[in-house]
Amino acid sequence: MTAPLSSVQGLITGFNSRDLVDAIIAQARIPADRMQADILALQKKTTALASYRRLLDTVRTAARTLRTGSAFDATSATTTVLTGSRALANVVTAPSATPGSFTLTVSTLARAEKLAGTGQADFATALGMAGTFSINGQDVVVTSTDSMVAIRDRINALNSGATPTGVSATILSVSGTDHRLILTSNATGAAGTALAESSGTVMQDLGFLDGGGAKLAGAIVTGGADASFAIDGIAMTRTSNVITDAITGVTMSLVSEEVGASTVIEIGRFGDAARDAMQQFVDGYNAVVTFIQEQGTVTSSRPALYGDSILRTARSALPGVLLSAVGGAAADLATVAKAGLSLDRNGKLSLDAAGFDASFSGRYNDLRTLFTEQFSATGADLSVVSSGGNPTGGTFSVDIAIPATRASIASTGFNGTYDDGGTPDTLTVADTRSGQSVNVILTSGMTSAQIAAAVQAAFDGAGIAITAITNGNQIELATTDFGMLAGIQIAVTGTGDGGSELFSAPTTAFGTNVVGTIGGEAATGNGRVLVGDAGTTAAGISVLYTGTAAGVAGDVSVSVGTGARVERLMDAFLTSGNGMLDAKQSQMEIQANRLQSRILTIDSQLERRRAVLLRNFLQMESAIARLQRQSNSLLSLTAQNKDQ
């Protein structure tokens, strides 16, 4: 039996179509939800990758101090009182200081000159003095209405700006009727303050100079003096008590001139700074190891970079770099283990301070070779520009097939005196490297020397790296740079006289690059620089050959210490643009953008589906409502028939 229509009434009163549509859409959006979760995971990876980047950069910074040698170059000074009551100087050192011992004695400390004028009854009223005097070459104009205060202020005004006098003026009030102008030199030294009358007698009236222009003995409160001292018995003088040029890399600030006193200055390598630099490397290295271990350990959840190859690469490469021997290092100090560094079973690095200190104090040069990057060259015309990231180093013979040349152009057949044919001509010279050019007007009667001078002046004014010289009657132009990028283009516009025309046609010339090999393998020339090609044992090594003869130029030696190797490994991760971390970051960004794009597409499709479903349910509910009304009408008619 068919159910009565009234049985569907419950559908109309209890049915929530919007909740049902939301449920349908939510079910359909599950793939997008998974993608959203993937984006969140990528964001967590990005955050973890940023932390990883900071840790690796810390290691790179520490390794750089080892590679450059700055970790080992700090020096220190100690002073010991040999005789006397105190040290005669305070001493600081620079990395360029060489270890050694020196004995210092000081006869006289440098002093600044101080002068005092005679007393004046009032400092604020007009003195009635007029004239011009100079202080260290700068004029002070005084009028009869000037007071002592005005004169003081004029003097001080000159002690400023780009060319200060170096003299300060003050007023000393001895009593209510005794006021004196005080002049103090800002600098020490026997030269003191140069005073001179230009006109009038103001300096005499104020009590500084006598009638002959000499300083009055009574005006000298403190005489200027040079520092007089001796180092290891060798007498010296300086205008200042701060001595920077007596011992290379050492600054001595003289503080005492005690008679018979002597102080021993000991200059040495600062082992504490070197040990601290090494410890910073150890700490940075261990922080990276800890991060890698944490990212590889699953606890309540998987870490963001769990199982990522970017971690595995560092985890395997770093120990290999530390454990490998350094070519060119001393056989018994060729690995970091010999210098106090060791790896434990967990991959952590530790520093044996005593072992490191022993190497630092007894094997300083060998220790530098172990950690730093060093290169040298034999041959007078050969030098190393850069190791270029060469991973292993070594000794390489440099063979020059063709030396580099400069671009050059010379006039031919010029008789030494220019003839413009009645109309001035224009010589245009262009530098192909910079694209700059100059124009020089050529007129009748100009000699070769005059033309060359005019052209050179134009080059100098434009900053063009080309020289112009004469060779007999001829003029030669040549670039200062070498190589095929250095070029000259010239043209002469005008009629000239034909036979004595300087350059009869437009001319272009270029230099050539050096051609040769490094270690018997291919290398590419750039001007006078030869660079080992990629894939060769000398890859990246750049040498400069300044000679003019072909043949074997000499040998270059490159030693790549552990600091350099670690820094290069870190560069592989961190180099902007093409480092592994940037590549990983870019890959994740592309992946996240693709997922986001797909999510937007899915959401757009689901919104359209939602609208269709809501419209369909609305139509269904409208139809059910009509059926319900019809059902109610039939039931009403049936009830009426029963009553009848």
Side-chain angles (χ1 to χ4, degrees):
M1 181 179 177
T2 303
L5 290 175
S6 59
S7 65
V8 302
Q9 185 172 358
L11 292 174
I12 298 172
T13 58
F15 181 76
N16 189 327
S17 59
R18 186 169 296 277
D19 287 348
L20 179 59
V21 170
D22 288 344
I24 293 171
I25 296 300
Q27 184 67 26
R29 199 183 185 278
I30 288 177
D33 292 338
R34 294 196 186 103
M35 295 178 195
Q36 196 69 53
D38 290 341
I39 291 176
L40 180 60
L42 288 172
Q43 291 172 344
K44 291 180 179 179
K45 278 190 173 184
T46 297
T47 300
L49 204 64
S51 298
Y52 190 40
R53 183 188 297 273
R54 287 192 294 271
L55 293 172
L56 292 178
D57 193 47
T58 298
V59 173
R60 179 169 66 172
T61 300
R64 184 176 296 122
T65 66
L66 302 180
R67 189 261 298 171
T68 61
S70 60
F72 309 104
D73 292 342
T75 56
S76 62
T78 57
T79 56
T80 303
V81 176
L82 191 61
T83 57
S85 60
R86 60 175 296 190
L88 299 175
N90 297 321
V91 184
V92 295
T93 59
S96 58
T98 301
S101 178
F102 307 89
T103 300
L104 171 69
T105 59
V106 179
S107 302
T108 307
L109 290 176
R111 293 181 176 82
E113 185 178 60
K114 178 178 284 190
L115 305 173
T118 54
Q120 305 296 322
D122 195 310
F123 59 76
T125 60
L127 297 176
M129 302 175 186
T132 301
F133 64 89
S134 65
I135 295 183
N136 287 345
Q138 297 199 43
D139 288 341
V140 179
V141 178
V142 178
T143 65
S144 60
T145 58
D146 286 336
S147 65
M148 186 182 291
V149 170
I151 297 174
R152 177 201 65 188
D153 293 345
R154 289 213 180 102
I155 293 172
N156 287 335
L158 295 174
N159 191 26
S160 61
T163 57
T165 59
V167 177
S168 299
T170 56
I171 294 174
L172 177 66
S173 295
V174 179
S175 68
T177 57
D178 185 355
H179 307 282
R180 305 182 187 187
L181 186 64
I182 307 296
L183 301 180
T184 304
S185 175
N186 298 341
T188 57
T193 302
L195 298 177
E197 302 275 20
S198 300
S199 64
T201 59
V202 175
M203 282 286 95
Q204 295 180 51
D205 297 340
L206 288 174
F208 291 102
L209 300 178
D210 62 19
K215 293 175 186 174
L216 291 168
I220 301 174
V221 177
T222 302
D226 290 337
S228 178
F229 59 99
I231 297 176
D232 291 340
I234 301 173
M236 305 180 190
T237 59
R238 297 292 188 273
T239 60
S240 171
N241 288 317
V242 179
I243 315 300
T244 61
D245 59 351
I247 305 173
T248 301
V250 177
T251 297
M252 300 182 297
S253 298
L254 307 182
V255 295
S256 177
E257 57 184 17
E258 185 177 350
V259 176
S262 59
T263 297
V264 175
I265 300 171
E266 296 281 351
I267 310 297
R269 303 288 180 192
F270 191 24
D272 289 352
R275 193 185 324 106
D276 289 345
M278 192 63 66
Q279 188 62 53
Q280 289 175 7
F281 173 74
V282 169
D283 293 342
Y285 182 96
N286 288 340
V288 170
V289 172
T290 298
F291 180 86
I292 292 174
Q293 291 173 344
E294 290 173 347
Q295 291 294 313
T297 304
V298 177
T299 52
S300 58
S301 61
R302 290 179 57 171
L305 295 176
Y306 182 82
D308 200 299
S309 61
I310 201 76
L311 298 181
R312 293 195 300 271
T313 301
R315 184 173 57 200
S316 61
L318 275 170
V321 170
L322 289 178
L323 295 174
S324 60
V326 173
D332 60 342
L333 198 58
T335 64
V336 297
K338 301 294 185 179
L341 288 177
S342 60
L343 288 169
D344 64 19
R345 61 193 304 175
N346 295 317
K348 295 292 184 68
L349 195 60
S350 61
L351 174 65
D352 175 9
F356 177 79
D357 289 349
S359 297
F360 184 82
S361 60
R363 305 282 300 278
Y364 175 77
N365 290 328
D366 290 338
L367 188 69
R368 280 182 59 90
T369 301
L370 174 61
F371 285 100
T372 64
E373 177 185 52
Q374 301 181 16
F375 35 76
S376 61
T378 63
D381 300 319
L382 190 65
S383 59
V384 181
V385 176
S386 168
S387 66
N390 186 275
T392 57
T395 299
F396 310 88
S397 175
V398 178
D399 193 348
I400 303 298
I402 304 175
T405 63
R406 299 183 296 178
S408 63
I409 296 176
S411 63
T412 57
F414 185 50
N415 63 14
T417 303
Y418 196 78
D419 182 354
D420 63 16
T423 304
D425 300 331
T426 301
L427 171 65
T428 301
V429 185
D431 175 16
T432 61
R433 181 187 290 272
S434 66
Q436 291 181 289
S437 63
V438 296
N439 295 316
V440 178
I441 302 300
L442 305 178
T443 59
S444 290
M446 292 182 72
T447 64
S448 299
Q450 290 172 332
I451 293 173
V455 173
Q456 187 63 61
F459 289 156
D460 294 341
I464 293 177
I466 301 177
T467 59
I469 62 172
T470 57
N471 183 3
N473 287 334
Q474 306 311 311
I475 298 173
E476 296 180 357
L477 307 180
T479 59
T480 58
D481 294 333
F482 288 73
M484 62 183 301
L485 294 180
I488 303 173
Q489 291 179 329
I490 65 172
V492 178
T493 57
T495 58
D497 70 347
S500 63
E501 187 71 77
L502 185 62
F503 295 101
S504 60
T507 306
T508 302
F510 292 93
T512 59
N513 293 330
V514 63
V515 178
T517 59
I518 301 177
E521 300 188 78
T524 300
N526 181 6
R528 294 191 292 182
V529 175
L530 196 62
V531 183
D533 286 354
T536 68
T537 57
I541 295 176
S542 301
V543 298
L544 174 67
Y545 179 65
T546 58
T548 58
V552 176
D555 294 336
V556 295
S557 297
V558 176
S559 174
V560 183
T562 301
R565 293 181 180 182
V566 173
E567 183 185 11
R568 287 170 187 173
L569 177 60
M570 296 300 97
D571 284 341
F573 284 92
L574 298 169
T575 299
S576 178
N578 59 2
M580 285 187 277
L581 291 186
D582 275 3
K584 184 72 174 180
Q585 181 67 40
S586 177
Q587 178 186 8
M588 292 193 301
E589 289 175 356
I590 292 172
Q591 187 177 355
N593 289 337
R594 287 175 178 171
L595 289 172
Q596 190 61 51
S597 178
R598 292 176 62 186
I599 290 172
L600 292 174
T601 299
I602 291 173
D603 284 342
S604 178
Q605 294 171 345
L606 290 179
E607 283 303 309
R608 291 194 295 272
R609 186 178 179 188
R610 179 192 297 276
V612 171
L613 288 173
L614 288 174
R615 185 168 59 253
N616 290 342
F617 276 115
L618 178 61
Q619 293 172 351
M620 181 187 69
E621 289 175 355
S622 298
I624 291 174
R626 287 195 302 273
L627 290 174
Q628 187 179 44
R629 289 194 298 272
Q630 292 173 0
S631 174
N632 291 338
S633 178
L634 289 173
L635 290 174
S636 177
L637 290 173
T638 301
Q640 290 177 4
N641 291 335
K642 285 182 178 180
D643 291 341
Q644 294 176 354

